[in-house]
Amino acid sequence: MASRKEGPGAAGGGFGAAKGKGKAAAAGDSAVKQVQIDGLVVLKIIKHYQEEGQGNEVVQGVLLGLVVDDRLEITNCFPFPQHTEDDADFDEVQYQMEMMRSLRHVNIDHLHVGWYQSTYYGSFVTRALLDSQFSYQHAIEESVVLIYDPIKTAQGSLSLKAYRLTPKLMEVCKEKDFSPEALKKANIAYENMFEEVPIVIKNSYLINVMLWELEKKSAVADRHELLSLASSNHLGKSLQLLMDRVDEMSQDIVKYNTYLRNVSKQQQQKHQYQQRRQQENIQRQSRGEPPLPEEDINKLFKPPQPPPRMESLLIAGQINTYCQNIKEFNAQNLGKLFMAQALQDYNN
């Protein structure tokens, strides 16, 4: 997935400021069970992508709000500005601190509660996102990452989901041990890496009245466009991305199998060495000579380094996301087909 600057430097750049307000943001000791988003925040995220996101370009920004009991209320946000590698003097940490200071001066919620990111056909399960979200949750326990899918939204339904790292994965990331043994001991699989938090979008009564008025004025023809079955391009792209991830998983499996073969081969070499050593000591003992000194066999045979398994879990999670997208596309097209047929029967 292409990104402007995806990783701790982009999404996690403001942790110096986030730590300072961690206690204020963590007013509730209970885990976050619901995310409440103001409608204005949703519109800002959509506008940010429409203005700066092009194709598979990813846009990111900061979420502001507060924690009330077990509910995380997101009341404001601001984007990370687009800049190139030539902007060496640009300091994202300083930029975030200045933005939050300015919002505080005008009496707007300025507490750091997470970040948002757009996605390209659901390609968001990456190591960069995992590292960034770990840094956020480590600094602010209740923080979330909002994933906005502009392609699904263009099909007629808003696609906005909130994710957090599970407690098991947080412990593994703290230890920074992603070996097969560590992940197996922690019982980590791609299904329990991220947890989705339910989202509720809240609008004021005046905004709800305005939406009802706009609904009455919208043309019927515009609504019928949502029944279009022309999603073959989206389905084909999702299948192509799915095949790419399957190829990556296949290559990762080959690397792991090679590691297992090397371990097995080394075990045989150790066993043969120990047998030769034992026979030589027996011969020396028969000649009345002292046995050879014992040697650290691990120094003679350095064990091969196991390949990190976190990338495999992320690839498996991304494959699962693509499969869910394809399933949703098929279900959506089937629903559109039934609705179009019902509309045609009604008109006849």
Side-chain angles (χ1 to χ4, degrees):
M1 180 174 68
S3 172
R4 168 184 63 86
K5 192 176 181 182
E6 190 180 8
F15 294 135
K19 289 182 180 178
K21 58 183 180 299
K23 294 182 179 179
D29 294 334
S30 58
V32 172
K33 298 180 180 179
Q34 185 185 74
V35 175
Q36 178 179 295
I37 311 175
D38 284 5
L40 181 60
V41 175
V42 178
L43 293 178
K44 283 184 176 181
I45 295 175
I46 295 174
K47 183 182 179 183
H48 182 198
Y49 177 82
Q50 290 178 344
E51 291 180 348
E52 299 186 5
Q54 298 178 358
N56 58 355
E57 184 73 15
V58 170
V59 299
Q60 299 170 328
V62 176
L63 299 175
L64 306 174
L66 66 159
V67 178
V68 180
D69 296 330
D70 60 352
R71 183 177 70 253
L72 178 64
E73 297 184 1
I74 301 175
T75 57
N76 204 353
C77 68
F78 62 86
F80 287 116
Q82 290 281 9
H83 61 275
T84 62
E85 296 179 355
D86 298 333
D87 302 330
D89 297 335
F90 181 79
D91 188 347
E92 291 193 353
V93 176
Q94 185 65 25
Y95 166 77
Q96 293 184 51
M97 294 180 65
E98 291 178 356
M99 284 292 297
M100 289 184 287
R101 189 180 299 112
S102 299
L103 292 173
R104 181 179 59 189
H105 289 165
V106 293
N107 202 24
I108 296 178
D109 291 334
H110 61 281
L111 298 182
H112 210 154
V113 294
W115 60 296
Y116 69 85
Q117 173 181 299
S118 65
T119 182
Y120 179 69
Y121 285 96
S123 304
F124 64 90
V125 185
T126 62
R127 183 60 182 271
L129 181 135
L130 179 118
D131 292 339
S132 296
Q133 182 57 25
F134 168 73
S135 299
Y136 267 98
Q137 275 186 234
H138 185 66
I140 308 171
E141 185 179 355
E142 294 84 0
S143 62
V144 299
V145 53
L146 289 183
I147 302 297
Y148 167 64
D149 192 330
I151 296 176
K152 284 186 179 180
T153 302
Q155 295 298 309
S157 59
L158 176 64
S159 179
L160 192 66
K161 295 183 178 181
Y163 292 98
R164 288 169 46 82
L165 302 186
T166 60
K168 289 184 178 180
L169 187 56
M170 286 292 295
E171 292 298 325
V172 172
C173 291
K174 288 179 182 178
E175 298 296 331
K176 296 182 180 180
D177 184 5
F178 304 118
S179 62
E181 293 78 11
L183 294 178
K184 183 178 180 180
K185 182 179 179 181
N187 195 22
I188 294 292
Y190 72 89
E191 297 95 337
N192 55 9
M193 294 177 64
F194 297 91
E195 58 182 1
E196 184 177 353
V197 185
I199 288 179
V200 175
I201 299 178
K202 179 184 178 182
N203 290 318
S204 67
Y205 294 113
L206 292 177
I207 293 179
N208 287 331
V209 171
M210 183 189 71
L211 292 175
W212 279 108
E213 291 295 327
L214 294 176
E215 178 74 15
K216 294 178 181 178
K217 295 179 181 179
S218 61
V220 177
D222 296 337
R223 302 178 194 176
H224 289 176
E225 291 180 359
L226 299 179
L227 300 179
S228 174
L229 299 178
S231 61
S232 58
N233 292 335
H234 302 301
L235 184 60
K237 186 63 178 178
S238 296
L239 288 172
Q240 181 61 48
L241 293 171
L242 175 61
M243 290 188 292
D244 293 341
R245 285 294 181 270
V246 171
D247 290 340
E248 293 179 8
M249 176 63 75
S250 178
Q251 296 174 6
D252 198 74
I253 291 174
V254 170
K255 293 180 181 178
Y256 188 68
N257 288 336
T258 302
Y259 159 74
L260 293 179
R261 287 195 298 269
N262 291 336
V263 170
S264 178
K265 183 179 179 180
Q266 190 181 76
Q267 291 296 333
Q268 293 178 359
Q269 293 175 349
K270 287 182 178 180
H271 183 67
Q272 293 174 0
Y273 174 81
Q274 289 174 341
Q275 285 183 335
R276 290 195 304 267
R277 192 80 168 181
Q278 185 177 7
Q279 291 176 359
E280 188 174 355
N281 283 332
I282 292 175
Q283 294 176 359
R284 291 176 64 90
Q285 186 177 4
S286 64
R287 296 194 300 265
E289 298 177 357
L292 296 173
E294 295 184 0
E295 296 181 352
D296 189 356
I297 195 171
N298 291 325
K299 291 183 178 180
L300 297 175
F301 299 92
K302 293 184 179 180
Q305 291 295 326
R309 302 299 293 164
M310 182 56 68
E311 294 297 334
S312 300
L313 293 180
L314 292 171
I315 293 174
Q318 191 60 67
I319 289 175
N320 181 66
T321 301
Y322 288 142
C323 291
Q324 292 293 333
N325 289 345
I326 294 171
K327 181 180 178 181
E328 291 177 5
F329 273 129
N330 291 334
Q332 191 178 40
N333 280 345
L334 184 61
K336 289 180 179 180
L337 185 62
F338 283 129
M339 292 178 64
Q341 185 63 43
L343 186 61
Q344 183 179 1
D345 294 341
Y346 176 79
N347 292 334
N348 293 335

